[in-house]
């Protein structure tokens, strides 16, 4: 059987940063990913990565405060402090690894402005920051010769009595199913955007890790907090980075007005994402739209700046909607973008509470978008997510190595685990008479978009939840047309759909439960934030049976008391 | 709009797997990319169609394949711009790589070549406390190369790789260039020695296919030429994978043969580059030669001198004179 001390699931920024840390310390580490590492969705991050550098006159406390406020006071302040305090050093680490950052006139790292922050502290590489960092991180993975299971799909966590000791995974090329043993498993499997349609997320963002952890007994936290990004392209929903507004682009409605004047007079287009998305939807609902969209106007930035700093946006707008942003405004609207919630962890990535405050799965760690530490609370600031992946990727690796050196491998029967998994897959392959996978996925995603969009109501969310539960039944008969072994993507989509349905249900249950409006969770029937009753996180556990069990844990407050949020 | 999407398929699970074409008649919308069309086929018609894709926005590098015979990113190619007169678009797997299933090719050789160029920053001085200082122009120049998404479209259409799988190829060499051009990397002479070797920068024939295929404007051929220039400029010492300066000798032999015969004799070029008595290496070239013959690209070893060769010789002499003059 394959065997490692630390096994990292996922090879995006969080996963690679974790694996790199372990490899540098000489640990027996491996990484497993359903796509080649550089195909991971981290490459789509365009705008940049935040850090408060002291020698730039910035202060991490300010970054932390902006993050706390951005989170609508749902973020845990101890975790936010860790992230913002360590950001500077981590940024320099990235530069030392070889990331090409845009520079200022003196050759030092240059910054750009980003939403929800009072200072320009976003470091960037044109508008391909994620790609530039991801590829360099992979260079380091190659340098340290980390073992990578490329194009392996993880289907189940191997657990016994609340402890994790490995995974079952399918080698996509051959279709073979294997067990891989590990003393510590780190989940870095990214987001779940495909639960919604449309979405800025890649086709691989299907929430697998969240579902795997949830099924294994770990709680999911604040799942209702799904971020809508204000500027996604008409039609496909592909993202146009906040970097555009950071560089000075305007949002205008059908009457040519810069409507943000009415919603956030101080920060204008650079208010927090939830605020801008709501403003756009209001404009659209009031009829100031063009075909269900408003416009992003970059023309006044000038061709030179656009081609230096927004070249990718220029390319995508041209390719996908045929608009040259140097000449015309481009139609956009809010679209699902990021999951603030996820697998509950402590600041060291642990998915269980050593002091017993909440339960979870021992030996299991999580980092990146799949995890909820929680540093983003009700609303993530732009460019804080890449930071989250590298900081908590590294920290979870440190904790996982500690755990691995203090514990033995879990004993389990390989045959049982592999056999069980094969049986599940065979059952899917044997289905007949049901719906096609893509049909169920689309129905789910549309129901979620309708019921859990930018504005929510009890009724709408309940309708979505009922629909999702109905789809869980339909899923049992879903049809996989490809019966072969080699590279059976059809079977993988079916497995992913199963994961997405778990996530969709959790999002809806959390949404119905939280009877207030906070951050991205904006309810028409409970329009105000309710600090008295809802300064707490919602934890969801799977079971017993078909049920979902809820638990609440208080928000950690260190320095900043909740206050009204205005931009 | 109706489109006939014709896909080259291959199923390794069959007893005697053979490639075959399958046509799907589907309704496409004006803005559809080839990827949208393939996804529609996969989701609504035939779930067994295998392809790689993820971002739908030309950034993850998954979906390189051949459309009407040329490598593209399927998510960047509009169906409407690739339809033939009778409404057909032809989709095949990327070239120069073994097919695993349908449009999915084996990328192991690709990544092995990337590994071979030592693709990571190698600063020799101790790290500064803060960032390395670097001029913004240098960084902006590098952004163009970092724009590479490792899709392999260039590799698919490279004419040298077609006959010589040992060639490091455009993607790996473009990556290599990034380190040589990065002021923070201090191993330039070691690197140039490495890239100077057999299978390296001198094997490119400058056909330009990689520049045409690259969806991100990386222009690999131009990077390879820049590496050649740097190698010559720095008078890069003998290096290469096995310690012989094949690359440099390749250029010298090239010059010598052309000025002597007025045309390039490729067989002679191999002999002169590898050294007349370097039997093991020459045997190593045999498969390349055979492969070239198979593709009807083997030059005749007995080519006569071309008419007007004297003029060419004079030209060569003059170039040489100018070059030496300029050097002084
Ligand atoms: C379009 C876009 C733009 C963005 N721009 C920014 C920005 O400018 N700044 C910023 O800070 N953030 C940005 N974000 C957010 C940020 O990019 C992501 O949150 C972050 O990159 C997530 O990284 P990750 O490592 O957690 O996951 P990912 O990079 O998504 O990686 C997930 C990995 O898990 C693997 N995986 C998943 N499931 C399985 C399975 N079952 N088996 C095996 N492997 C599996 C995948 O193969 C992949 O390797 C953006 C997001 C999007 C969508
Ligand atoms: S220019 Fe060189 S590297 Fe590019 S395709 Fe032609 S032979 Fe290959
Ligand atoms: S150079 Fe261009 S074509 Fe080649 S791998 Fe990179 S992006 Fe793709
Ligand atoms: S799907 Fe990502 S490059 Fe085409």
């Amino acid at each position: 059987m394959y065997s490692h001390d630390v096994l990292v699931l996922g090879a995006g920024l969080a996963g690679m940063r974790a694996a790199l840390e372990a490899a540098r310390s000489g640990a027996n580490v491996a990484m497993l990913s359903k796509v080649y590492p550089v195909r991971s969705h981290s490459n789509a991050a365009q705008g940049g990565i935040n850090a408060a550098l002291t020698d730039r006159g910035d202060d991490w406390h300010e970054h932390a405060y902006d993050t706390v406020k951005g989170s609508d006071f749902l973020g845990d302040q101890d975790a936010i402090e860790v992230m913002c305090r360590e950001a500077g050093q981590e940024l320099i680490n990235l530069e030392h690894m070889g990331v090409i950052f845009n520079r200022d006139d003196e050759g030092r790292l240059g910054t750009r402005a980003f939403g929800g922050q009072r200072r320009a502290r976003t470091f960037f590489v044109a508008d391909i920051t994620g790609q530039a960092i991801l590829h360099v991180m992979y260079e380091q993975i190659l340098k340290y010769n980390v073992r990578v299971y490329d194009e392996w799909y993880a289907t189940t966590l191997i657990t016994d009595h609340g402890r994790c000791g490995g995974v079952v995974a399918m080698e996509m090329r051959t279709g073979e199913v294997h067990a891989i043993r590990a003393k510590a498993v780190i989940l870095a499997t990214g987001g779940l955007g495909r639960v919604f349609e449309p979405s800025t997320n890649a086709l691989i963002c299907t929430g697998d890790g969240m579902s795997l952890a949830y099924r294994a007994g770990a709680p999911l936290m604040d799942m209702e907090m799904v971020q809508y990004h204000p500027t996604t392209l008409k039609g496909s929903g592909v993202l146009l980075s906040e970097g555009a507004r950071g560089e000075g682009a305007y949002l205008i409605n059908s009457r040519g007005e810069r409507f943000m004047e009415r919603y956030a007079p101080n920060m204008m287009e650079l208010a927090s994402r939830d605020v801008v998305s709501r403003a756009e939807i209001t404009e659209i609902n009031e009829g100031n739209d063009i075909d269900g969209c408003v416009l992003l106007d970059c023309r006044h930035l000038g061709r030179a700046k656009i081609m230096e700093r927004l070249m990718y946006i220029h390319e995508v707008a041209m390719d996908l909607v045929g608009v040259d942003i140097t000449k015309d405004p481009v139609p956009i609207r809010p679209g699902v973008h990021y999951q603030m919630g996820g697998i509950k962890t402590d600041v060291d990535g642990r998915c269980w509470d050593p002091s017993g405050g909440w339960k979870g799965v021992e030996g299991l760690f999580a980092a990146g978008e799949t995890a909820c530490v929680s540093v983003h609370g009700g609303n993530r600031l732009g460019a804080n997510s890449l930071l989250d992946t590298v900081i908590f990727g590294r920290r979870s690796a440190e904790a996982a190595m500690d755990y691995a050196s203090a514990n033995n491998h879990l004993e389990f029967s390989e045959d049982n685990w592999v056999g069980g998994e094969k049986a599940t897959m065979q059952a899917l392959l044997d289905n007949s008479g049901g719906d096609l996978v893509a049909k169920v996925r689309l129905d789910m995603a549309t129901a979620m978009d309708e019921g859990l969009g930018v504005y929510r109501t009890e009724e709408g969310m309940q309708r979505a939840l009922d629909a999702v539960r109905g789809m869980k039944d339909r899923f049992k008969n879903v049809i996989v047309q490809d019966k072969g072994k080699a590279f059976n993507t059809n079977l993988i989509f079916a497995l992913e759909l199963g994961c997405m349905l778990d996530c969709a249900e959790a999002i809806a249950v959390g949404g119905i439960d939280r009877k207030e409006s906070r951050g991205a969770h904006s309810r028409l029937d409970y329009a105000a934030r309710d600090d008295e009753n809802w300064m707490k996180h919602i934890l969801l556990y799977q079971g017993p049976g078909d049920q979902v069990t809820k638990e609440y844990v208080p928000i950690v407050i260190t320095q900043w008391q909740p206050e009204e949020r205005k931009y | 709009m109706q489109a006939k999407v014709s896909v080259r398929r291959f199923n390794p699970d069959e007893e005697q797997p053979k490639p075959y074409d399958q046509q799907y008649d589907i309704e496409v919308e004006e803005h559809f990319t080839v990827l949208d069309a393939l996804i529609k086929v996969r989701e609504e018609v035939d779930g067994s169609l295998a392809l790689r894709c993820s971002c739908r926005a030309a950034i993850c590098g998954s979906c390189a394949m051949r459309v009407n015979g040329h490598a593209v990113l399927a998510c960047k190619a509009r169906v409407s711009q690739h339809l033939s007169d009778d409404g057909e678009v032809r989709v095949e797997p990327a070239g120069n790589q073994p097919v695993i299933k349908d449009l999915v090719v084996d990328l192991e050789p690709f990544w092995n070549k990337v590994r071979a160029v030592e693709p990571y920053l190698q600063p020799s001085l101790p790290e500064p406390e803060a960032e390395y200082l670097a001029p913004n122009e240098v960084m902006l120049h590098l952004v163009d190369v970092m724009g590479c998404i490792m899709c392999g479209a260039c590799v698919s259409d490279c004419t040298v790789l077609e006959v010589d799988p040992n060639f490091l190829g455009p993607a790996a060499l473009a990556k290599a260039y990034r380190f040589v051009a990065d002021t923070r990397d201090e191993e330039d002479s070691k690197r140039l020695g490495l890239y100077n070797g057999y299978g390296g920068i001198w094997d490119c024939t400058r056909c330009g296919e990689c520049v045409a295929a690259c969806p991100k404007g990386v222009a690999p051929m131009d990077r390879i030429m820049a590496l050649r220039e740097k190698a010559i400029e720095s008078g890069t010492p003998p290096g290469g994978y096995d310690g012989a300066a094949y690359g440099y000798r390749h250029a010298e032999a090239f010059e010598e043969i052309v000025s002597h015969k007025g045309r390039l004799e490729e067989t002679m070029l191999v002999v002169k580059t590898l050294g007349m008595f370097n039997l093991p290496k020459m045997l190593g070239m045999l498969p390349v030669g055979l492969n070239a013959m198979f593709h009807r690209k083997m030059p005749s070893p007995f080519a006569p001198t071309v008419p007007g060769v004297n003029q060419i010789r004079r030209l060569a002499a003059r170039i040489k004179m100018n070059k030496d003059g300029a050097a002084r």
Side-chain angles (χ1 to χ4, degrees):
Chain A
M1 190 179 1
Y2 299 100
S3 179
H4 303 279
D5 286 346
V6 177
L7 179 66
V8 184
L9 296 191
L13 270 179
M16 288 211 258
R17 185 66 189 86
L20 180 60
E21 193 61 25
R24 278 179 177 165
S25 315
N28 171 359
V29 58
M31 205 163 59
L32 183 148
S33 169
K34 62 181 174 179
V35 295
Y36 279 96
V38 297
R39 314 280 184 237
S40 301
H41 192 53
S42 291
N43 59 14
Q46 302 168 3
I49 176 166
N50 289 332
L53 292 192
T54 342
D55 63 358
R56 240 37 58 103
D58 203 352
D59 177 351
W60 70 260
H61 292 90
E62 282 191 32
H63 181 194
Y65 170 74
D66 287 345
T67 304
V68 169
K69 180 176 167 191
S71 82
D72 217 348
F73 297 87
L74 182 64
D76 282 331
Q77 298 182 8
D78 56 341
I80 292 174
E81 286 181 5
V82 165
M83 179 176 83
C84 297
R85 196 168 52 223
E86 295 180 5
Q89 190 52 50
E90 195 60 42
L91 180 79
I92 298 297
N93 283 345
L94 292 175
E95 200 275 343
H96 287 172
M97 282 176 202
V99 178
I100 320 243
F101 283 104
N102 283 51
R103 309 277 161 154
D104 62 14
D105 294 341
E106 291 151 48
R108 302 186 312 166
L109 303 180
T111 54
R112 72 161 38 130
F114 242 60
Q117 307 189 61
R118 292 157 304 162
R119 211 178 226 294
R121 64 167 72 89
T122 304
F123 296 86
F124 65 104
V125 187
D127 56 358
I128 56 164
T129 311
Q131 184 204 338
I133 301 179
L134 188 74
H135 281 244
V136 167
M137 201 66 88
Y138 187 53
E139 292 168 8
Q140 297 294 308
I141 293 292
L142 293 176
K143 177 174 172 186
Y144 286 92
N145 241 323
V146 176
R147 166 85 156 102
V148 188
Y149 297 89
D150 286 315
E151 299 193 319
W152 282 51
Y153 182 80
T155 57
T156 305
L157 295 175
I158 295 173
T159 51
D160 190 14
H161 289 90
R163 187 186 154 197
C164 178
V167 305
V168 184
M170 178 164 78
E171 183 179 10
M172 289 166 63
R173 187 184 178 132
T174 57
E176 291 303 327
V177 180
H178 305 270
I180 305 177
R181 189 165 68 167
K183 291 178 186 166
V185 173
I186 302 178
L187 288 167
T189 43
L192 51 61
R194 298 290 297 164
V195 167
F196 292 80
E197 184 75 34
S199 150
T200 65
N201 283 203
L203 305 181
I204 55 172
C205 300
T206 51
D208 302 355
M210 294 182 213
S211 164
L212 259 54
Y214 188 52
R215 290 176 193 167
L220 299 179
M221 182 162 100
D222 298 341
M223 290 296 280
E224 67 280 11
M225 295 301 178
V226 179
Q227 179 167 75
Y228 276 75
H229 194 291
T231 54
T232 74
L233 213 51
K234 179 181 179 177
S236 62
V238 165
L239 180 82
L240 299 183
S241 165
E242 188 160 306
R245 280 170 291 137
E247 298 294 349
Y250 301 149
L251 288 171
I252 52 181
N253 61 18
S254 61
R255 289 187 290 188
E257 298 162 336
R258 270 183 82 186
F259 56 83
M260 284 310 294
E261 265 161 15
R262 279 180 272 126
Y263 303 88
N266 296 322
M267 298 283 276
M268 295 292 286
E269 281 85 357
L270 284 178
S272 224
R273 288 180 176 172
D274 52 340
V275 175
V276 182
S277 290
R278 281 194 288 271
E280 290 177 5
I281 292 290
T282 308
E283 289 295 311
I284 292 169
N285 288 345
E286 284 174 2
N288 299 332
D289 64 312
I290 300 156
D291 251 356
C293 290
V294 289
L295 300 170
L296 178 72
D297 191 352
C298 302
R299 290 173 296 183
H300 56 287
L301 301 179
R303 194 178 170 83
K305 191 168 190 180
I306 290 176
M307 297 320 278
E308 177 189 325
R309 299 187 158 201
L310 304 171
M311 58 177 191
Y312 175 72
I313 297 183
H314 180 262
E315 176 187 330
V316 180
M318 201 68 198
D319 285 349
L320 299 182
V321 290
V323 171
D324 178 350
I325 61 168
T326 64
K327 297 206 184 97
D328 294 298
V330 56
I332 51 94
R333 65 172 164 182
V336 161
H337 182 57
Y338 185 83
Q339 170 59 291
M340 271 78 69
I343 308 163
K344 161 94 178 126
T345 73
D346 68 7
V347 291
D348 293 308
R350 292 186 196 92
C351 298
W352 75 103
D353 183 2
S355 59
W358 46 277
K359 49 185 210 331
V361 177
E362 218 187 295
L364 184 66
F365 300 76
E369 190 168 338
T370 202
C372 181
V373 189
S374 105
V375 286
H376 309 301
N379 173 65
R380 168 176 75 85
L381 292 187
N384 258 358
S385 165
L386 292 185
L387 181 61
D388 168 10
T389 63
V390 287
I391 299 279
F392 294 102
R394 173 176 51 72
R395 291 179 69 96
S396 63
E398 285 163 358
M401 284 187 287
D402 283 349
Y403 184 86
S405 53
N407 289 278
N408 293 325
H409 278 294
L410 185 75
E411 297 292 329
F412 59 85
S413 151
E414 186 181 6
D415 290 348
N416 282 354
W417 282 96
V418 170
E421 208 53 45
K422 282 187 178 163
T424 312
M425 291 180 194
Q426 196 55 49
L428 272 172
L429 291 169
D430 291 343
N431 276 344
S432 61
D435 291 307
L436 291 179
V437 179
K439 173 86 175 85
V440 182
R441 207 285 310 176
L442 189 61
D443 289 350
M444 167 196 69
T446 318
M448 288 299 283
D449 195 55
E450 279 166 14
L452 286 113
V454 171
Y455 286 111
R456 303 167 172 181
T457 61
E458 179 91 25
E459 213 194 336
M461 289 189 284
Q462 189 60 49
R463 216 179 303 125
L465 179 60
D466 294 343
V468 166
R469 291 200 162 136
M471 275 171 255
K472 281 194 144 180
D473 287 334
R474 274 164 72 195
F475 174 70
K476 291 182 188 133
N477 292 316
V478 90
I479 292 190
V480 177
Q481 290 168 305
D482 191 344
K483 310 290 181 199
K485 285 193 73 125
F487 228 93
N488 189 339
T489 43
N490 200 186
L491 175 59
I492 293 202
F493 296 151
L495 297 168
E496 287 174 340
L497 176 60
C499 293
M500 286 190 275
L501 286 165
D502 285 345
C503 294
E505 181 180 31
I507 293 168
V509 170
I512 293 169
D513 197 44
R514 185 175 286 282
K515 294 193 173 35
E516 64 160 349
S517 290
R518 184 184 296 271
H521 182 61
S522 207
R523 293 184 63 149
L524 296 172
D525 44 1
Y526 295 89
R529 195 173 84 190
D530 177 0
D531 289 343
E532 204 152 303
N533 298 306
W534 284 101
M535 283 296 284
K536 57 189 180 192
H537 300 292
I538 304 174
L539 269 56
L540 303 177
Y541 295 86
Q542 195 180 46
D546 280 346
Q547 287 174 358
V548 179
T549 307
K550 283 176 238 160
E551 190 182 24
Y552 301 100
V553 297
I555 296 166
V556 180
I557 294 181
T558 58
Q559 339 188 0
W560 299 282
Q561 290 305 320
E563 58 192 53
E564 200 195 342
R565 190 157 156 262
K566 267 204 187 124
Y567 286 100
Chain B
M1 163 175 49
Q2 274 301 117
K4 297 180 207 152
V5 184
S6 154
V7 184
R8 171 66 49 86
R9 303 201 58 186
F10 177 79
N11 181 2
D13 290 330
E14 275 166 16
E15 228 156 76
Q16 281 174 325
K18 265 200 289 298
Y20 61 99
D21 288 322
Q22 186 161 357
Q23 186 176 310
Y24 301 97
D25 296 319
I26 55 163
E27 177 72 28
V28 297
E29 285 166 44
E30 176 56 32
H31 66 264
F32 261 39
T33 61
V34 172
L35 182 62
D36 292 328
L38 292 172
I39 289 179
K40 182 164 175 165
V41 168
R42 176 172 91 169
E43 291 194 336
E44 296 171 14
V45 188
D46 184 349
S48 74
L49 176 64
L51 65 141
R52 291 192 181 100
C53 58
S54 176
C55 69
R56 305 162 294 147
I59 196 75
C60 76
S62 301
C63 70
M65 56 186 73
R66 278 188 175 155
V67 171
N68 295 343
H70 293 282
V72 296
L73 287 181
C75 66
K76 209 173 148 72
R78 290 271 188 103
V79 174
S80 55
Q81 283 159 7
H82 287 85
L83 282 187
S84 68
D85 289 343
D86 54 355
E88 187 187 335
V89 54
R90 222 157 20 87
V91 187
E92 293 157 316
N96 289 333
Q97 287 137 316
V99 176
I100 295 179
K101 178 178 174 185
D102 297 340
L103 301 169
V104 177
V105 297
D106 183 359
L107 288 167
E108 282 314 305
F110 177 91
W111 289 112
N112 284 336
K113 287 176 184 178
V114 171
R115 279 189 198 102
V117 303
E118 302 193 356
Y120 36 83
L121 198 71
Q122 302 183 32
S124 63
L125 298 171
E127 279 176 358
E129 192 145 301
E131 69 266 40
Y132 290 98
L133 295 183
N136 199 34
E137 308 83 68
V138 173
M139 292 290 131
L140 288 181
H141 172 66
L142 287 175
V143 169
D144 290 346
V145 199
M146 277 313 282
C148 171
I149 53 175
M150 294 283 156
C151 66
C154 53
V155 164
S156 160
D157 286 11
C158 174
T159 48
V160 167
L161 279 169
E162 214 173 291
V163 291
D164 181 3
N166 293 310
F167 179 37
L168 282 172
L173 288 172
K175 181 96 181 161
Y177 173 77
R178 137 165 170 48
F179 297 100
V180 175
D182 193 325
T183 47
R184 299 169 298 178
D185 187 283
E186 272 131 7
E187 293 300 335
D188 287 3
S189 55
K190 184 184 106 190
R191 286 190 185 280
L192 288 170
L194 180 64
Y195 311 149
N196 218 6
Y198 166 67
I201 48 180
W202 300 96
D203 282 18
C204 162
T205 60
R206 304 187 56 177
C207 70
E209 289 291 335
C210 55
V211 180
C214 177
K216 304 301 285 188
V218 176
M221 180 183 84
D222 299 352
R223 313 297 169 182
I224 299 174
M225 292 311 122
L227 283 172
R228 282 188 187 175
E229 245 162 63
K230 283 187 194 278
I232 291 177
E233 258 167 39
S234 69
T236 294
Y241 291 120
D242 37 15
Y246 298 122
Y248 210 47
R249 283 225 296 271
H250 182 105
E252 276 185 341
F254 195 104
E255 187 192 351
E256 196 185 318
I257 295 169
V258 173
S259 17
H260 180 66
K261 285 217 161 175
R263 72 194 296 286
L264 184 62
E265 255 182 40
E266 287 170 49
T267 337
M268 211 49 212
L269 187 66
V270 174
V271 174
K272 289 206 182 235
T273 304
L274 296 179
M276 194 66 88
F277 304 103
N278 189 349
L279 222 63
K281 255 280 134 68
M282 282 215 260
L283 280 178
M285 290 300 284
L286 209 60
V288 178
L290 289 177
N291 203 0
M293 201 137 53
F294 180 70
H295 284 84
R296 295 168 193 268
K297 287 191 178 164
M298 181 65 156
S300 154
F302 307 111
T305 19
V306 301
V309 68
N310 282 338
Q311 221 161 340
I312 293 175
R313 285 181 190 153
R314 271 203 300 279
L315 210 70
R318 196 171 317 152
I319 293 171
K320 203 159 180 172
M321 220 165 65
N322 283 351
K323 210 171 98 192
D324 293 350
R328 248 174 260 130

